[in-house]
Amino acid sequence: MSIAVVFDSAGTLLHTYRMAKDVDSGELYPDIETTMLTFADPSRVLCVIHAHSHGIMAAPADQLFSLFMKEHNLGFGISCTRRVVEAEEIGKILMSDTTARVGDMQECMRIIWSKIREEAIVALNSGVIVHTGKGRIEFTVTAGGTPFPGAKETIRELHRLGVATYIASGDREAKLERMADYLGIPRDQVFGVATPTVKERIVRDLKEDYETVIMVGDSINDLLAMRAADIAVLTEQQCSQKPDELIAAVNHRIHDVREVIGIINPLI
């Protein structure tokens, strides 16, 4: 039987630390799932900013983030949203925002970096949550992660069993590719800046080529892909607080990524 496993990254393959800052109030939200924060309001859109971390940290803290993006001709990707939005609409909001400052992003980055800087293999992504109703940036966000113990060995064992592995994630593709190199997943099987609907389409497309497609994820933005998959696996390795609709959609719940091997073995 031909089998493919699609993994989310943050919280699934990577132990991930997250930080969000409310631009208006200045309140910090440590270890909050940015996808859940986004899904809490249908007008919110989570965007990954295509910027190097050192470039953000070197910019003046009081500079408007919109101006920083213009000066450096930065692109972005829509990572998570509850509804279909046009990139042009989000781009206009990002470039005209007058609330978020570079310092808001820097504060999130400093906190996350302090947690992962001792790790040998890390991935760091920063972005913003745009509120389309308010027409502005509502939160700055940063996430940093390092592979869970056993993640690399799990991928190696899947390949030994003849199982194809993929990554579909809302994170930046450049960051994902370096992590995939470490884990042993081919770069052409890595899909970055994937919204929930894009993840779903990836799973459906793979079902044309494989007899069984398994989706392994940890958050609400994996729900559509899980529903589309032949087998849905919810990992609670990092956080056990999951929405009821996500729990209802899965076939298996695991607490260690290595448990994926036990789910697949009977299928071979």
Side-chain angles (χ1 to χ4, degrees), residues 205-232:
D205 288 346
L206 289 174
K207 288 175 73 172
E208 298 293 323
D209 299 320
Y210 297 92
E211 294 174 81
T212 301
V213 176
I214 299 169
M215 179 67 201
V216 184
D218 79 308
S219 190
I220 192 69
N221 63 326
D222 300 311
L223 178 61
L224 296 179
M226 287 178 167
R227 288 173 173 169
D230 297 299
I231 299 174

Side-chain angles (χ1 to χ4, degrees), residues 22 32 57 63 91 155-156 159 179 188 199 208 252:
D22 186 317
I32 189 169
M57 293 305 297
Q63 183 180 30
I155 300 301
R156 183 187 300 131
H159 292 170
M179 191 61 63
D188 62 355
K199 288 187 179 185
E208 298 293 323
H252 301 274

